[in-house]
Amino acid sequence: MYTIDVMSRVPVYEQVVQQTERFILTGILRPGDKIPSVRSLSVELSVNPNTVQKAVSELDRRGIVYSIPGKGCFVAEEAKNALLASRRNGLTGIKEQLTELKLAGVTRDEIVGVIDEVFEPGTEGVAE
């Protein structure tokens, strides 16, 4: 389920956070679902347990997961809504990027083409 890109500049703990968020947004993980334990995920990914713990702590800080002592960590009821709101706040950054692209001479049609690629059915919002 989880994979780590060792060549990525994104820290391993952040890759775990991003993948967990994507699993929630795509419905792979639903509210109340248990996420893998720190130990099992660290073994699966061949990373230090402290790295996975850092990811879980970050998810907890963001309100995406909650822990029950002795039972594990679970997806919070409002996780998806919190993630959607967070992503919508990112529209400001996209607007700034679009302004920069426009100033650099990128046409509206080129930008719309990229948007159409991202929203094409079956791409899960991932541009290749």
Side-chain angles (χ1 to χ4, degrees):
M1 190 154 124
Y2 287 86
T3 58
I4 296 301
D5 179 1
V6 294
M7 300 304 290
S8 174
R9 290 182 166 204
V10 177
V12 172
Y13 86 93
E14 188 60 36
Q15 290 182 50
V16 173
V17 169
Q18 290 171 355
Q19 288 178 50
T20 303
E21 289 178 343
R22 178 168 285 228
F23 294 152
I24 292 167
L25 288 170
T26 58
I28 294 170
L29 287 173
R30 299 180 187 280
D33 285 353
K34 185 176 186 205
I35 64 170
S37 70
V38 169
R39 184 176 299 166
S40 69
L41 198 51
S42 68
V43 168
E44 178 185 333
L45 300 175
S46 299
V47 298
N48 189 310
N50 292 333
T51 301
V52 177
Q53 182 58 52
K54 186 174 181 180
V56 172
S57 294
E58 180 62 20
L59 288 163
D60 185 40
R61 186 190 68 74
R62 295 181 188 183
I64 306 303
V65 301
Y66 63 94
S67 65
I68 299 176
K71 299 233 186 241
C73 288
F74 300 85
V75 177
E77 289 297 320
E78 291 298 315
K80 190 168 186 173
N81 290 338
L83 290 170
L84 291 172
S86 171
R87 298 304 194 267
R88 283 200 170 89
N89 288 337
L91 287 174
T92 302
I94 292 172
K95 185 176 180 180
E96 291 170 4
Q97 288 179 328
L98 290 171
T99 301
E100 293 296 320
L101 290 170
K102 179 181 173 185
L103 292 172
V106 177
T107 68
R108 183 181 193 281
D109 289 339
E110 289 174 295
I111 293 169
V112 170
V114 171
I115 292 170
D116 288 342
E117 282 179 36
V118 170
F119 283 94
E120 184 176 300
T123 61
E124 296 184 50
V126 178
E128 297 182 338

